[in-house]
C-alpha cells in the first residue's frame, strides 16, 4: 500500500512538470502525429520488452528511440510520449503474463529520465552544427542526473532508508546509454530525410532481444546452480549434524553407520545407498533410499572399491555410483566393508567425492572407538573364565529392568551355589575345576537362553535372570539345576538354589541379591547333602544319648558360630564347615 501511494504521488508530480512542458510545443502537422505514434510503439519495445542485465540490476536501450523522439518531434511533448510508450509496453507485458497489473502504476514515474533532456532542448531552442554538440551532451547529462536523483528519491521513499548508490553499476548503465545515444542520433538524422529509416531500430532491437534473453538465461542458470549448492550445503550440514548427534548420544556402531550412510545419500543428493561391514562384529548390511532398484550397480561399485582399496566411480546403464572402502583397525581386530551410493543421470564430481571421503574418514575413526569401547565394556562386564556376565553386569541389568518393571510381567532372579565343588577342586586340581566351571556355565546359559541370561558371580556361584510364564518356571528351574550338576566315578557336583520374584519381593538390585543370599543360606542350613554330614549327625545322636544336656549346648555354640561367620561374610562352604566343627 505504501509503495502504491508513493508511485501515485511520483506519477502526479511527473505530470505536473510534463504538462507545462508540453504546452511549449507548437501545433504539429498530422504527419508528425503519425510519426509520434510510431515512435511511441518503438519506445515501448525498447524500454519495456528488452532488459539487459547489468551487475545486480538492469538497463533498457531507451536512448535508441528517445534521441530520435527529441530530434524529430517538438521536445516539449516527448516526456508525455515517453510515459505513453512505457505504459503501452507494460500493458503488453501484463497481457502476456510477464508482469503484474500493479506495475502499470509505476510506468508514468519511470518517464522522469525524459524530462531532463527535453527541458534542455526546449531552453536551447533549435540548434545545429557545432553548437549542437554541447547542447546534446548537456541534454544527455541532464537526463542522467535527473534519472539518478529521482531513482534515489523513489528508493529511499519506498524502502524508508537512504538508498545506497552503486557507482560501478551506475557507470555501466550510463555507458550503455552513452553508446546507444549516438546510434539514435544517426537514426534521427536519417529519418529526417526518410521517415521509414526509423525502422532501422528494429534490427538493433532484435539483436538486443537475443542478448537480453541470453543474459537472462545465464542468470537463471546461475541461480539454479546457487540453489543446488545451497541445497547440497544443507544436506551436508544435516549429515554432519547427524554424525555429531550419533557420537554425542551414545557409542552405537549400528546407529553410527546408519548416520554415515543416510548422511552421504542426503549430502550428495543420491537416490539410494548401501553400507556393508564385517570383522570383529556380526556382518552388517544397511540400505537407504531406493537401494533395491540400484542393487547391481551398488554391489559392483562396492566390490570395485574394496578390490582397489580406493574410491571408485562407476557408470552402468545410466546409473552413476560412487563407492569407497570402509576399513579400519580396532582393539578387537580389523573390520572390512564398503559404502556405495548411486543416482541416475548426474555423475558424481570430484568435490562430491571429497565430501564423502571426509564423512567416511571421520566415521572410520568413530567406528574404531565404538568397537574399542565395546571391547572394554565386555571385559568390564563379563567373567574372564566362563565369558558369562559378571556381578557388575547383573547389577546393571537389574537396575535397568527394575526401573521400568511392572507386576504383570515379573522377573525371576535365580541364585545357584555349587555343592561338592570344593572337594572336586581339591581332588582334581584348579585347572580341572576351572574347566568344570566353564562347562557348567555354558550349560546354564543354554538352559535359560530362551527366557533370559546367565551370570557367574565369582567362585562357584552362578545366577540367572529370566522372564518366563509362571507355568514354565518349575521346568526352567529344573533345567537350570540339572545344567549345574555333573557326576563321575569318584565325584558328584550338584547345586543349591534360591529364587526371588521381581519386582514383587525387591525393588532394587542390592535388596534382591541380599534376599537371594539369605534364602540360599537358609536352604543349605536345612539340608544334609554329604556323607560327612550324615556321619556327623550319627555321632551327635550317640553323644546326645549319653549326655542329653550337651546337645543343647552344641546347638547354641553352632548357631553362635554361624552368626559370627555370617558377619565375617564367609563363603557358604566355609560357613558349613564352621557349623559342623
Amino acid at each position: 500500500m505504501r509503495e502504491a501511494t508513493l508511485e501515485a504521488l511520483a506519477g502526479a508530480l511527473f505530470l505536473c512538470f510534463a504538462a507545462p512542458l508540453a504546452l511549449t510545443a507548437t501545433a504539429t502537422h498530422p504527419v508528425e502525429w503519425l510519426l509520434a505514434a510510431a515512435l511511441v510503439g518503438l519506445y515501448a519495445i525498447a524500454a519495456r520488452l528488452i532488459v539487459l542485465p547489468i551487475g545486480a540490476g538492469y538497463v533498457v536501450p531507451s536512448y535508441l528511440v528517445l534521441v530520435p523522439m527529441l530530434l524529430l518531434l517538438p521536445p516539449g511533448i516527448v516526456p508525455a510520449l515517453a510515459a505513453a510508450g512505457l505504459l503501452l509496453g507494460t500493458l503488453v507485458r501484463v497481457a502476456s503474463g510477464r508482469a503484474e497489473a500493479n506495475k502499470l502504476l509505476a510506468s508514468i514515474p519511470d518517464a522522469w529520465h525524459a524530462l531532463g533532456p527535453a527541458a534542455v532542448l526546449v531552453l536551447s531552442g533549435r540548434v545545429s552544427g557545432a553548437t549542437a554538440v554541447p547542447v546534446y551532451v548537456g541534454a544527455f547529462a541532464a537526463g542522467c542526473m535527473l534519472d539518478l536523483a529521482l531513482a534515489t528519491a523513489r528508493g529511499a521513499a519506498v524502502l524508508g532508508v537512504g538508498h545506497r548508490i552503486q557507482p560501478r553499476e551506475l557507470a555501466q548503465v550510463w555507458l550503455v546509454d552513452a553508446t546507444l545515444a549516438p546510434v539514435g542520433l544517426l537514426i534521427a538524422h536519417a529519418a529526417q530525410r526518410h521517415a521509414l529509416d526509423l525502422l532501422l531500430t528494429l534490427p538493433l532491437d532484435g539483436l538486443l532481444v537475443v542478448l537480453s534473453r541470453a543474459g537472462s538465461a545465464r542468470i537463471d542458470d546461475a541461480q539454479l546452480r546457487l540453489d543446488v549448492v545451497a541445497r547440497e550445503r544443507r544436506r551436508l550440514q544435516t549429515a554432519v549434524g547427524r554424525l555429531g548427534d550419533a557420537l554425542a548420544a551414545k557409542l552405537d556402531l549400528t546407529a553410527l553407520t546408519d548416520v554415515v550412510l543416510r548422511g552421504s545419500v542426503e549430502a550428495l543428493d543420491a537416490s539410494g545407498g548401501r553400507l556393508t561391514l564385517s570383522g570383529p562384529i556380526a556382518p552388517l548390511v544397511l540400505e537407504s533410499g531406493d537401494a533395491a532398484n540400484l542393487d547391481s550397480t551398488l554391489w559392483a561399485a562396492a566390490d570395485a572399491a574394496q578390490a582397489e582399496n580406493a574410491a571408485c566411480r562407476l557408470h552402468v546403464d545410466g546409473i552413476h555410483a560412487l563407492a569407497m572402502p570402509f576399513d579400519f583397525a580396532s582393539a578387537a581386530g580389523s573390520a572390512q566393508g564398503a559404502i556405495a551410493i548411486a543416482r541416475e543421470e548426474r555423475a558424481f564430481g570430484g568435490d562430491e567425492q571429497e565430501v564423502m571421503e571426509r564423512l567416511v574418514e571421520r566415521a572410520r575413526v568413530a567406528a574404531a572407538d565404538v568397537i574399542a569401547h565395546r571391547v572394554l565394556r565386555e571385559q568390564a562386564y563379563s567373567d574372564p573364565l566362563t565369558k558369562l556376565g559378571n556381578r557388575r553386569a547383573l547389577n546393571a541389568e537389574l537396575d535397568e529392568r527394575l526401573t521400568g518393571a511392572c507386576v504383570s510381567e515379573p522377573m525371576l532372579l535365580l541364585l545357584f551355589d555349587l555343592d561338592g565343588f570344593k572337594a572336586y577342586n581339591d581332588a582334581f586340581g584348579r585347572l580341572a575345576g576351572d574347566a568344570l566351571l566353564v562347562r557348567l556355565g555354558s550349560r546354564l546359559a543354554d538352559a535359560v537362553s530362551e527366557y533370559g541370561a546367565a551370570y557367574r558371580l565369582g567362585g562357584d556361584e552362578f545366577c540367572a535372570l529370566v522372564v518366563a510364564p509362571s507355568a514354565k518356571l518349575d521346568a526352567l528351574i529344573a533345567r537350570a539345576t540339572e545344567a549345574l550338576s555333573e557326576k563321575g566315578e569318584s565325584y558328584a557336583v550338584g547345586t543349591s538354589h534360591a529364587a526371588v520374584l521381581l519386582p514383587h519381593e525387591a525393588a532394587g538390585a542390592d535388596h534382591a541379591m541380599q534376599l537371594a543370599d539369605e534364602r540360599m543360606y537358609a536352604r543349605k542350613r536345612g539340608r544334609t547333602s554329604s556323607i560327612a554330614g550324615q556321619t556327623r549327625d550319627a555321632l551327635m545322636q550317640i553323644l546326645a544319648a549319653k549326655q542329653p544336656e550337651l546337645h543343647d549346648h552344641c546347638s547354641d555354640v553352632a548357631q553362635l558360630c554361624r552368626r559370627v561367620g555370617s558377619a565375617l561374610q564367609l563363603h557358604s562352604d566355609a560357613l558349613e564347615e564352621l557349623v559342623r566343627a
Side-chain angles (χ1 to χ4, degrees):
M1 187 63 181
R2 171 187 172 88
E3 184 176 356
T5 302
L6 291 173
E7 293 293 356
L9 292 174
L13 185 62
F14 169 80
L15 294 176
C16 289
F17 284 95
L21 196 62
L23 294 177
T24 63
T26 58
T28 58
H29 192 273
V31 175
E32 289 185 338
W33 287 114
L34 293 176
L35 182 62
L39 286 169
V40 167
L42 293 173
Y43 192 78
I45 294 173
R48 277 290 182 260
L49 305 184
I50 303 174
V51 178
L52 300 173
I54 295 291
Y58 65 93
V59 64
V60 295
S62 58
Y63 274 85
L64 193 63
V65 182
L66 180 61
V67 172
M69 290 176 72
L70 291 169
L71 298 181
L72 298 176
L73 299 174
I77 65 171
V78 169
L81 294 179
L86 291 171
L87 187 62
L88 176 62
T90 305
L91 281 171
V92 174
R93 289 176 61 85
V94 171
S96 62
R98 290 185 292 171
E100 300 176 358
N102 58 4
K103 295 297 183 182
L104 291 171
L105 192 60
S107 298
I108 295 177
D110 284 346
W112 272 99
H113 67 280
L115 279 171
V120 170
L121 292 179
V122 168
L123 294 175
S124 300
R126 292 290 181 178
V127 294
S128 61
T131 59
V133 175
V135 173
Y136 292 161
V137 172
F140 177 78
C144 292
M145 292 297 104
L146 188 61
D147 191 28
L148 171 62
L150 268 296
T152 302
R154 288 173 69 187
V158 172
L159 299 176
V161 296
H163 184 65
R164 184 179 179 183
I165 300 175
Q166 302 290 340
R168 182 177 180 181
E169 294 178 5
L170 187 61
Q172 290 177 333
V173 171
W174 287 351
L175 179 61
V176 172
D177 290 339
T179 303
L180 293 175
V183 179
L185 183 64
L186 293 175
I187 293 175
H189 284 302
Q192 286 177 347
R193 293 189 299 271
H194 301 286
L196 291 179
D197 287 346
L198 285 174
L199 298 179
L200 291 174
T201 61
L202 294 179
L204 289 174
D205 287 341
L207 174 62
L208 294 176
V209 166
V210 172
L211 295 176
S212 172
R213 291 186 175 180
S216 298
R218 286 196 298 271
I219 291 176
D220 293 340
D221 183 62
Q223 184 62 46
L224 180 61
R225 290 177 179 273
L226 287 175
D227 292 341
V228 171
V229 170
R231 196 163 56 246
E232 292 184 351
R233 183 178 180 181
R234 287 194 297 271
R235 289 194 180 97
L236 178 58
Q237 290 172 341
T238 301
V240 174
R242 283 188 172 184
L243 182 58
D245 291 341
L247 295 178
K250 60 178 181 179
L251 291 174
D252 182 83
L253 186 62
T254 303
L256 174 65
T257 50
D258 182 68
V259 165
V260 174
L261 176 60
R262 293 181 183 275
S264 299
V265 170
E266 291 183 3
L268 304 186
D269 196 20
S271 302
R274 179 183 291 116
L275 187 148
T276 59
L277 189 63
S278 61
I281 61 169
L284 183 66
V285 179
L286 297 177
E287 294 184 345
S288 176
D290 193 19
N293 294 329
L294 306 170
D295 185 73
S296 59
T297 305
L298 290 174
W299 283 119
D303 291 342
Q306 284 191 283
E308 299 175 9
N309 195 29
C312 175
R313 281 183 272 181
L314 289 182
H315 179 210
V316 180
D317 297 331
I319 299 176
H320 298 270
L322 172 62
M324 54 189 59
F326 195 72
D327 302 341
F328 57 88
S330 67
S334 298
Q336 301 81 36
I339 178 173
I341 61 175
R343 66 188 179 200
E344 298 179 357
E345 298 179 357
R346 245 180 344 122
F348 290 97
D351 56 337
E352 293 177 308
Q353 180 177 325
E354 291 179 3
V355 168
M356 188 169 170
E357 284 176 345
R358 288 196 295 268
L359 278 174
V360 171
E361 183 58 34
R362 294 180 181 179
R364 286 194 186 105
V365 176
D369 291 341
V370 168
I371 294 181
H373 182 271
R374 178 183 295 180
V375 170
L376 292 175
R377 181 180 177 84
E378 289 176 353
Q379 291 176 349
Y381 282 81
S382 64
D383 174 53
L385 179 62
T386 63
K387 305 307 178 185
L388 299 177
N390 58 14
R391 184 179 292 271
R392 179 182 296 175
L394 175 62
N395 289 337
E397 185 71 14
L398 280 172
D399 288 336
E400 181 178 351
R401 284 177 172 262
L402 287 174
T403 300
C406 60
V407 178
S408 60
E409 294 183 358
M411 297 177 291
L412 192 66
L413 175 65
L414 295 172
L415 182 63
F416 301 94
D417 190 88
L418 299 182
D419 297 326
F421 176 74
K422 185 176 184 303
Y424 182 92
N425 211 32
D426 292 341
F428 298 101
R430 180 178 177 181
L431 294 179
D434 289 347
L436 176 63
L437 291 175
V438 172
R439 292 197 302 272
L440 297 181
S442 177
R443 292 175 193 167
L444 177 62
D446 293 339
V448 302
S449 61
E450 184 178 355
Y451 301 105
Y455 304 84
R456 182 190 175 210
L457 306 185
D460 58 357
E461 283 190 330
F462 290 86
C463 187
L465 185 61
V466 297
V467 179
S470 56
K472 297 185 178 182
L473 286 179
D474 290 341
L476 179 62
I477 294 174
R479 286 203 308 271
T481 303
E482 183 180 357
L484 291 175
S485 301
E486 185 173 300
K487 293 182 179 180
E489 294 183 359
S490 57
Y491 71 92
V493 176
T495 183
S496 298
H497 74 274
V500 178
L501 190 64
L502 305 174
H504 302 69
E505 298 182 300
D510 292 340
H511 186 200
M513 293 302 299
Q514 179 185 357
L515 190 58
D517 284 336
E518 291 175 356
R519 291 180 178 178
M520 174 67 72
Y521 293 142
R523 178 181 292 270
K524 281 183 169 289
R525 283 198 301 268
R527 176 176 177 181
T528 303
S529 58
S530 65
I531 297 176
Q534 295 173 6
T535 304
R536 182 203 65 187
D537 292 342
L539 292 174
M540 292 300 295
Q541 290 175 2
I542 295 172
L543 185 61
K546 292 184 177 181
Q547 297 180 357
E549 70 282 358
L550 189 58
H551 180 269
D552 294 336
H553 174 71
C554 290
S555 298
D556 291 341
V557 173
Q559 293 304 320
L560 179 61
C561 291
R562 181 184 296 279
R563 288 197 296 271
V564 173
S566 298
L568 295 175
Q569 297 182 349
L570 295 180
H571 191 269
S572 58
D573 288 346
L575 192 62
E576 291 301 319
E577 284 191 30
L578 177 61
V579 173
R580 287 197 295 271

